[in-house]
Amino acid sequence: MTGADSVIAELLAGRWRDPETGTAVSVPIRQIAIAPSLAGGEAELVKPLDLGRRLALVSDPITQERLGARVERALAGIAIVERVALPDRPHADDATVERVRQATAGADALIAVGSGTINDLCKYAAFLDGKPYAVFGTAPSMNGYCSANAAITVGGLKKSLPARVPAGVFLDLGILAAAPPRMIRSGLGDSLCRPTAQFDWLLSHLLLGTPYRLAPFALLAADEGALLEEAGALVAGDAAAMARLARTLVLSGLGMVICDGSYPASQGEHLVSHYVEMMEGGRLPESFHGEQIGVTTLSLARLQQRLIEGPPPLLRATAIAPGDLKRHFGAGRGEACRKEWAGKALDAPRAELLTARLAQDWGRLRTRLAAVMRPVALLERALEATGAPRRASELGWPGALYRTALIRARQTRNRYTALDLAGDAGLLEGFAIEEAG
């Protein structure tokens, strides 16, 4: 059993120790299986979960062909299985959630067979209806298998909503390795942001005193180095590399669970991606979330590197021009953004206080921040080795849009990140112009 496998086993048993407090940490997930093959063992994995007699298996045509039919046959021996057939390329939106809820109304539990979209639909529908669910993953494309939230578009606006934590998560490495290369690259991209997310969360803690935990990052330590250094093996069908990615995605989700939020896995790099999706998503070439995060992570990593290599930032009061946010984002979204941004905006006295603190403690602060970083070149090589996008232009994002996203993304959520530090220091616009080309 590898170090990361042991961590997962200890978490499930409630015996893993928080590195800061020494207290035992447990998670609400009952079973996680990551194995070279799960064929023939599906019923034995699900049976101990006591999900009930009637199970609704939710899949789309692709995931049904790749794994769903196999799971359906296996579970028929222990339960009444009713298949819920979603259309090809379903959307994780409120209308599809209602469709899933109606189709699973008579079921005791849901079995998701898929990856990001199907998992989110099932975990949110299960949450709304108070039912358990389990998931058989079909692609290593994202870190949401174990998380307690779902990305659902409601009224045209993507939201992160509270959702049901799965009773069981089952990942067949043979199935994952056979996923389309873009989905494998997406999973790597979603994993790449550990350094930038940790930097931003720690930055907020050091400057503003917001809560911070080391535990979610300690979960990932065993696999991260090899995952980045040998990223090319992922698309070459290497079983060990795929196991590292699968464990990383699972443990990243569990880190969010134990922190009761997405803080350890979603900071400035996600704000930029979410801004683009919110403002222009329907008019841009299709790209996977993890592909976007790979690109935005590189941008945030370069910004963070520039900040710690420079002198102590000189902060000024955050400028919020009256009516600007409503004009830019629209009335409803603009008001929501105003409330979010106002929660972290600096007035003149606070900007002066933080500037003085940065001047006094800059050496110590940047030493702590540098300790959680990975070299930008290493992150870029990892993406390059898999053929993943590395620049916004490779996603089909216009330079003007990406420049605006880097400047405006910080206005969308009350999380203080490197985008805010650079913005409050008057450094963000120049960086955004360079980064967007």
Side-chain angles (χ1 to χ4, degrees):
M1 184 178 290
T2 70
D5 286 321
S6 177
V7 168
I8 293 172
E10 292 291 299
L11 275 172
L12 294 179
R15 294 193 300 264
W16 189 77
R17 297 284 173 177
D18 187 304
E20 293 176 294
T21 66
T23 57
V25 177
S26 62
V27 294
I29 299 174
R30 297 173 58 189
Q31 190 170 357
I32 296 172
I34 302 172
S37 175
L38 300 178
E42 296 90 350
E44 292 306 310
L45 291 170
V46 171
K47 189 175 181 179
L49 301 179
D50 297 322
L51 298 180
R53 183 61 181 159
R54 303 182 70 90
L55 304 179
L57 186 146
V58 183
S59 62
D60 65 22
I62 294 175
T63 65
Q64 180 67 10
E65 180 180 355
R66 294 189 58 219
L67 182 59
R70 192 182 93 190
V71 173
E72 187 175 357
R73 287 192 301 270
L75 298 187
I78 62 169
I80 299 170
V81 181
E82 300 173 351
R83 187 193 167 208
V84 177
L86 296 179
D88 189 26
R89 304 169 72 84
H91 296 288
D93 55 26
D94 44 3
T96 312
V97 168
E98 286 307 308
R99 175 177 176 175
V100 171
R101 294 182 68 190
Q102 291 175 17
T104 61
D108 298 313
L110 283 68
I111 304 292
V113 181
S115 56
T117 296
I118 290 176
N119 187 53
D120 278 347
L121 288 168
C122 288
K123 68 163 59 176
Y124 189 54
F127 169 78
L128 293 177
D129 292 333
K131 296 178 179 179
Y133 97 102
V135 57
F136 284 84
T138 57
S141 55
M142 50 86 216
N143 63 0
Y145 282 118
C146 293
S147 69
N149 57 278
I152 304 293
T153 299
V154 179
L157 180 63
K158 181 179 286 188
K159 297 184 177 182
S160 180
L161 301 173
R164 174 75 68 183
V165 174
V169 176
F170 309 119
L171 302 178
D172 183 315
L173 294 175
I175 296 292
L176 301 190
R182 281 189 67 194
M183 301 190 82
I184 297 173
R185 295 173 190 136
S186 180
L188 175 65
D190 216 13
S191 303
L192 204 72
C193 70
R194 192 285 307 160
T196 57
Q198 187 172 4
F199 180 108
D200 280 347
W201 201 22
L202 179 59
L203 171 69
S204 180
H205 172 69
L206 294 174
L207 282 187
L208 307 181
T210 53
Y212 169 81
R213 290 184 68 179
L214 182 61
F217 308 112
L219 295 177
L220 302 171
D223 278 326
E224 183 176 273
L227 179 66
L228 296 177
E229 294 284 359
E230 304 171 24
L234 288 168
V235 291
D238 184 83
M242 186 55 63
R244 283 192 290 269
L245 179 57
R247 290 191 297 262
T248 296
L249 297 173
V250 162
L251 287 167
S252 179
L254 292 175
M256 290 187 274
V257 170
I258 66 175
C259 290
D260 196 27
S262 62
Y263 314 100
S266 175
Q267 293 285 339
E269 71 294 317
H270 275 71
L271 295 184
V272 176
S273 171
H274 291 164
Y275 173 92
V276 172
E277 285 287 316
M278 178 173 65
M279 300 299 290
E280 297 289 342
R283 293 185 285 271
L284 295 172
E286 183 184 28
S287 57
F288 289 118
H289 171 74
E291 290 179 312
Q292 298 176 17
I293 298 305
V295 169
T296 59
T297 291
L298 291 182
S299 293
L300 262 291
R302 283 189 279 265
L303 177 61
Q304 293 166 351
Q305 188 69 40
R306 181 173 299 190
L307 286 169
I308 68 165
E309 288 178 349
L314 303 175
L315 305 183
R316 56 196 181 192
T318 307
I320 307 180
D324 172 71
L325 297 181
K326 288 187 179 181
R327 284 191 298 271
H328 183 77
F329 291 100
R333 289 186 303 197
E335 177 59 18
C337 289
R338 185 195 66 78
K339 292 178 180 178
E340 290 287 328
W341 200 21
K344 62 180 176 180
L346 303 180
D347 58 17
R350 197 177 192 195
E352 184 178 352
L353 181 67
L354 288 178
T355 295
R357 183 179 174 194
L358 286 166
Q360 180 178 354
D361 295 341
W362 187 232
R364 180 183 65 86
L365 294 176
R366 67 180 179 181
T367 296
R368 287 198 63 183
L369 291 167
V372 308
M373 300 174 72
R374 289 278 187 176
V376 178
L378 173 61
L379 303 179
E380 190 159 17
R381 283 199 305 272
L383 291 178
E384 183 180 19
T386 66
R390 290 172 289 151
R391 305 292 297 189
S393 58
E394 296 175 48
L395 296 171
W397 292 358
L401 170 63
Y402 197 51
R403 179 171 63 251
T404 303
L406 289 167
I407 295 169
R408 290 274 192 174
R410 71 190 188 110
Q411 300 170 345
T412 64
R413 192 161 189 186
N414 184 14
R415 286 190 182 178
Y416 196 88
T417 73
L419 297 170
D420 293 291
L421 184 63
D424 291 337
L427 304 173
L428 185 58
E429 291 196 15
F431 172 80
I433 292 171
E434 292 179 27
E435 190 69 12

